[in-house]
Amino acid sequence: MDPIELIPLADYAPPAMPTEQAFRALLKRVQRRFGAKDDHDHPLLPSGALVRTPVPVLDDIADPPDCGPILRTLHCNLDNWAAGAMASPRVQLIVVPACDRSGSIESWARSQNHMLLPAPERDDLIHSDGMAATESVDSIGEGLLVIPQLERWFLRQRNGLTMVRTLLARLAASQRRCLIGCDAWAWAYLAKAADASLVLPRPRTFAPFDAARLRAWFAELAVDDGPATTFRLARNGEDVLACDDEGEPCNNWLRLLAARSGGIPWVAWHLWRASLQVRTDDAALSDKAASTVTDDQRTVWVVDTDEFPLPSGHEERALLTLHAILTHGGLSASELDAVLPATGEASVLQALVDSRQLCCDRGNFSVRPTAYPAIRRALEAAGFPLGVS
Amino acid sequence: MATAGEGAKKASKLLNDLQDISFTKIGLILAGTWLVVLIARTLLPYLAERGPSRMRLFLLGGVPIIRLLMLVLAILWVIPIIFNITLQNFLVISGALGVAIGFAFKDYASSVIAGVVAIFERPYRPGDWVRIGDDYGEVRAVGMRALEICTPADDIVHIPHGKLWESNIANSNDGARTLMCVASFYLRPDHDAARVRCALRDVAMTSAYLEYARPVLVMLAETPLGTHYQLKAYPFDMRDQFHFISDLTTRGKLAIAEAGAIETQAIGSVDAAKIGT
């Protein structure tokens, strides 16, 4: 697929949900509110006929990394600028959508051997003025300096903004050329709390992934040395990746996925992998299903994924926790205690991990990409300030 | 001639004949009106509490409007069934009503009329936080005669709409989803005010409840009690206002101590309002 564009942050508009699906989703939420159970009705296949796709197969048909097209975009848009010693602008800010677990800006910088300014330890954010950590911003260097994760330079705590303010002040005074990456939720906060938008006035972000882009990407990923794979909707057998002459998907499933993921490629990729299922060995196909898959070399079934509810009775605390984690791009339990109001309530962290909203990697809690759409919607409904993309 | 006399006689009749009045119809109209109002009073607050936060005030505000519309509709429907409406009869009924209201139901009628005015002028709506006289709280319901507010102490206070004619009504959010919260601190005057101001500003900027789109202000003034700091900021949801103020106060005290300032002892007997704060 062709690389996408970098666009001004203000122009970012997530793909819209198709009208019919929007009504269906609303109806489903109302039914769930009144206690109705979701029915996963797959008329084509008997109940229990599908199981999760094994990881090796998934890695064949939807292989990592989840940021492949983004890396291509960065190469296409930034390589020339990074190579030109006098190229304008001197400082570029790229606002990265939430849940970028691969560290796309850092991966690109490493691949180009650019100098990276590592983020300080979070403990140092409280006790240091940041002068030492930001020295290399002032140093005269020929090459580009990359600050891949601005969200790691602050802690939303009384003394936790000093370091990022020092960094921004040095960036404003320096002559060094810099590329800065910042999470969309952190940017919304820093623009308010540290006036970051005054120092970095023209943020850009990646164009949203619409259905056509997702189709091109997933079709590209599905090509491997094995048999050709056909992705069929479990509910009606339609080929999800089938498209018309203009490359637009023939059915609405990918439009729904694009809208649900907010146009964020890695969120869409994780949801895509989570929705892929294969038939169990002993599951028989109905006549209709058999006729549908006659010409397929390999069929992978696409199902709708579940959304997990917030811990009952602790919704407010859960949302405060999720919002803090999104704002910082991940936090440890002790850091979370430092940034949340001390209300004496029990921590909901474990409940959020159990309900598959959060994942924990070496003590650092972050939002699962598959849970992000539901979490964003819940935060929006509760009135929380949201990320900028 | 007979027909004209009959017409005059008929016109002078105030009430319709008993056999012409359909009590079943009246009963159905009243029951239907009561049912619609009941559904609106139950369903809209239910949806408001469970739906998106941005829709809450809109849904709550619909209750008094629906009730007023239904009552007006019911009255306009029932009156012609009972009364023989002519200009003469209209004047008779108006006169009788005027006397009855003037003597017996003056205050009640005043409050009902003020309630109708309140629906259109909207000095308060369900969900708003208002101060009327000494009472401050969230408007829970706007009835025909009175509004019901729930105070921070969880008391329910009924205030007649008639207060609209005679007292000021302070509405803290006026239909918005947020309102300004103020955390107060009194410090001994010998301190670095610039440092304290910066520290308090960061206290608000780092609150988990902060609404990004609204300003954060730190104001100070010298008073007989010491230097009075007011930290003013907005939570993203006004229902968090007391959590927000508590959070600002808790962390503000730490920030003040860290900035080398000392809080003065709170003097409960001093009425701060009387000494110019």
Side-chain angles (χ1 to χ4, degrees), chain A residues 33-34 155-159 161 165 188-189 192-193 316 320 323 327 339-341 343 380-385, chain B residues 46 50 52-54 177 202-203 205-206 208-210 212 214-216 236-237 240 243 247 251 254-255 258:
Chain A
R33 169 71 60 194
F34 288 99
L155 202 58
R156 195 185 62 193
Q157 203 256 13
R158 234 168 2 95
N159 300 316
L161 295 172
R165 284 177 178 151
Y189 177 68
K192 165 73 177 179
E316 190 185 343
L320 280 169
H323 186 256
T327 300
V339 303
L340 286 180
T343 55
E380 186 176 16
F384 279 77
Chain B
Y46 177 86
R50 284 156 185 80
S53 172
R54 62 184 178 276
R177 278 166 51 190
D202 276 355
V203 164
M205 286 293 189
T206 53
Y209 300 106
L210 182 72
Y212 299 172
R214 300 288 187 125
V216 170
F236 57 77
D237 188 326
D240 291 325
H243 289 306
D247 182 49
R251 294 183 309 110
L254 293 171
E258 215 169 78

Side-chain angles (χ1 to χ4, degrees), chain A residues 168-354:
Chain A
L168 291 169
R170 284 201 151 176
L171 280 170
S174 159
Q175 291 304 304
R176 182 143 196 189
R177 298 172 63 248
C178 280
L179 175 74
I180 299 157
C182 182
D183 177 90
W185 289 72
W187 179 249
Y189 177 68
L190 288 174
K192 165 73 177 179
D195 293 328
S197 52
L198 299 178
V199 179
L200 307 166
R202 283 177 294 279
R204 296 200 293 166
T205 191
F206 307 105
F209 268 62
D210 57 10
R213 285 191 180 117
L214 287 178
R215 197 212 71 80
W217 183 25
F218 295 156
E220 188 181 274
L221 292 179
V223 175
D224 63 351
D225 298 335
T229 307
T230 308
F231 299 91
R232 294 195 178 278
L233 284 178
R235 63 169 176 263
N236 59 16
E238 281 182 16
D239 182 351
V240 173
L241 298 186
C243 64
D244 58 22
D245 296 339
E246 290 168 8
E248 285 293 327
C250 293
N251 68 60
N252 269 338
W253 200 88
L254 283 177
R255 287 189 192 91
L256 183 64
L257 178 64
R260 205 176 142 195
S261 62
I264 303 172
W266 32 81
V267 172
W269 182 84
H270 280 276
L271 287 170
W272 172 242
R273 277 171 64 107
S275 67
L276 301 181
Q277 299 203 344
V278 290
R279 199 156 48 93
T280 55
D281 292 338
D282 52 352
L285 282 175
S286 64
D287 292 344
K288 189 181 174 188
S291 65
T292 304
V293 302
T294 303
D295 300 330
D296 295 355
Q297 293 180 31
R298 174 169 62 179
T299 307
V300 172
W301 299 92
V302 180
V303 300
D304 296 325
T305 50
D306 286 322
E307 287 184 354
F308 301 100
L310 294 170
S312 182
H314 294 277
E315 287 86 353
E316 190 185 343
R317 183 77 181 172
L319 289 174
L320 280 169
T321 301
L322 292 165
H323 186 256
I325 286 171
L326 281 168
T327 300
H328 293 84
L331 288 169
S332 69
S334 59
E335 289 160 0
L336 197 58
D337 277 342
V339 303
L340 286 180
T343 55
E345 254 193 89
S347 170
V348 294
L349 267 178
Q350 194 52 51
L352 289 169
V353 172
D354 291 344

Side-chain angles (χ1 to χ4, degrees), chain B residues 145-207:
Chain B
R145 186 195 65 85
L147 71 151
E148 191 181 287
I149 70 170
C150 181
T151 69
D154 209 21
D155 295 331
I156 300 296
V157 181
H158 294 265
I159 302 169
H161 293 301
K163 285 273 186 187
L164 196 65
W165 308 133
E166 65 204 39
S167 64
N168 294 340
I169 292 162
N171 191 323
S172 298
N173 64 298
D174 196 25
R177 278 166 51 190
T178 186
L179 45 74
M180 182 187 273
C181 293
V182 184
S184 279
F185 305 92
Y186 288 89
L187 310 188
R188 285 190 199 168
D190 52 338
H191 63 269
D192 181 345
R195 193 175 164 196
V196 170
R197 268 189 99 184
C198 288
L200 286 178
R201 190 168 184 276
D202 276 355
V203 164
M205 286 293 189
T206 53
S207 174

Side-chain angles (χ1 to χ4, degrees), chain B residues 123-142:
Chain B
Y124 41 73
R125 280 149 286 201
D128 282 357
W129 282 80
V130 296
R131 182 180 301 284
I132 302 174
D134 292 334
D135 298 305
Y136 176 71
E138 183 185 19
V139 178
R140 280 285 176 86
V142 178

Side-chain angles (χ1 to χ4, degrees), chain A residues 66 98-104 266 270 359 361 366-370:
Chain A
D66 58 7
C99 302
D100 177 21
R101 294 159 98 187
S102 303
S104 48
W266 32 81
H270 280 276
C359 55
D361 179 27
S366 58
V367 167
R368 280 182 186 274
T370 46

